[in-house]
Amino acid sequence: MESRPQKRKSKTKHRFFAVFLLLLLLACSKSSAFISNSQRQTDEKEPPNFPTNENGEFIVDTKALPVIEDFVPYHRIPNPDPNKDGLVNIRNPEEKAYIKEVEKSDRLEAAESGSSNMNFYVYRVAKIDMERKDIKDFHDLWSKTRRMDTIATVNQIESPDVEITAGKKFLLPTVDGLFIKKGKASSGYEIILQKECAPFISKETKVFIIDGTAFYFIPGGRFSPTQRAYFLDTNMIMPLSSSVLTSSFGYRVSPISGAWKFHKGVDLAAKVGTPVFACKGGKVSSILKNDPIYGNCLILSHSGGMTSVYAHLSEILVSKEGEQIKGGQTIGKVGVTGATTGPHLHFEIRQNGSAQDPSSYLRLK
């Protein structure tokens, strides 16, 4: 009869111990979860903000940025474990950090929960990247980093034909978007970007001053069809290395007849004999000689329905119609042939036969 209370006490002790053990396990689990979350927060901390000037514009000094020395996916090194043979893979630490920030930015964008803080890295083209053909051209560069338009605009790359050589540096943003040069454009490519992106720029638009050059940043921005076509096509260049703009596109008083007349191109004054270059690649569409208006004249056809006209030449340096021409190739020399009052190049750009203002494509002086 006396043994029953002892059994009850024994059961009570076992129950108490079981409850105590369960509570202890729960506490350990919470502690582990807290440590895990703390570690995750540490791993995903925001990159440091860049200093700003009095206008709130971010100042970026590329010399102070982390440098990715190569984009070889993994380096093979001897196994550090003395008990194991062979090689192991390790990733470049700067590349690893860059990829982590890029992935975080992409997650936030996909979740439409805002964008990550902007950060920048510098990629220095490594000889090993070129030897292993990891980075052969611009396509390889942007396909391993950010979108084509992001890498192109932040590095002021105007054509995918940009030369990739060992030691050359490229800026890599961690957030996708368009970088629009603030201030006067220095090329036709920048002119088009500024004109088409102007409606998306406001006082709230972030500005990054990168090594002295200021850019508006439009997060998530992409090339328009026109910008993309212009970028993917051969970059346009000035038809003269040095000239003076003496007559612009549009209505003017004709220096020949004195009548109010529409001028379908621009006049660029230069010395007789100055080399004339093809503004972009194409083929010879027409060769005119001793035309009463245009004098000696060349018309080149380009992709996308574009043509370019070069008039009043003293010499024509192409042989026949249909000849393929490279952008920048010397095609003639400045002269005074046709209806002209002095040595100059009359230059036109036409789109599907309609005259366009060359200043929309090139920076004319």
Side-chain angles (χ1 to χ4, degrees), residues 190-207:
E190 290 179 348
I191 291 172
I192 291 175
L193 280 172
Q194 288 183 346
K195 284 184 176 180
E196 292 196 355
C197 295
F200 306 102
I201 296 173
S202 66
K203 292 181 179 179
E204 287 71 38
T205 304
K206 287 183 179 180
V207 175

Side-chain angles (χ1 to χ4, degrees), residues 217-255:
F217 177 61
I218 303 176
R222 294 175 177 267
F223 277 156
S224 68
T226 300
Q227 294 162 6
R228 183 180 178 85
Y230 191 98
F231 176 78
L232 293 177
D233 201 354
T234 303
N235 182 34
M236 292 188 69
I237 64 170
M238 285 289 292
L240 297 174
S241 59
S242 179
S243 63
V244 176
L245 177 64
T246 55
S247 186
S248 300
F249 178 86
Y251 281 99
R252 65 170 186 174
V253 176
S254 171

Side-chain angles (χ1 to χ4, degrees), residues 239-240 270-278 284 286-290 294-300 309-320 325 329-338 343-346:
L240 297 174
K271 293 181 180 180
V272 172
T274 299
V276 176
F277 310 116
V284 178
S286 181
I287 300 176
L288 302 177
K289 292 186 176 180
N290 300 316
Y294 287 105
N296 296 328
C297 175
L298 273 178
I299 301 177
L300 305 183
V309 180
Y310 311 79
H312 309 312
L313 302 174
S314 61
E315 292 184 54
I316 293 176
L317 301 179
V318 300
S319 58
K320 60 182 179 179
I325 301 296
Q329 179 178 330
T330 302
I331 55 175
K333 294 183 179 181
V334 171
V336 288
T337 59
H344 73 276
L345 173 70
H346 173 80

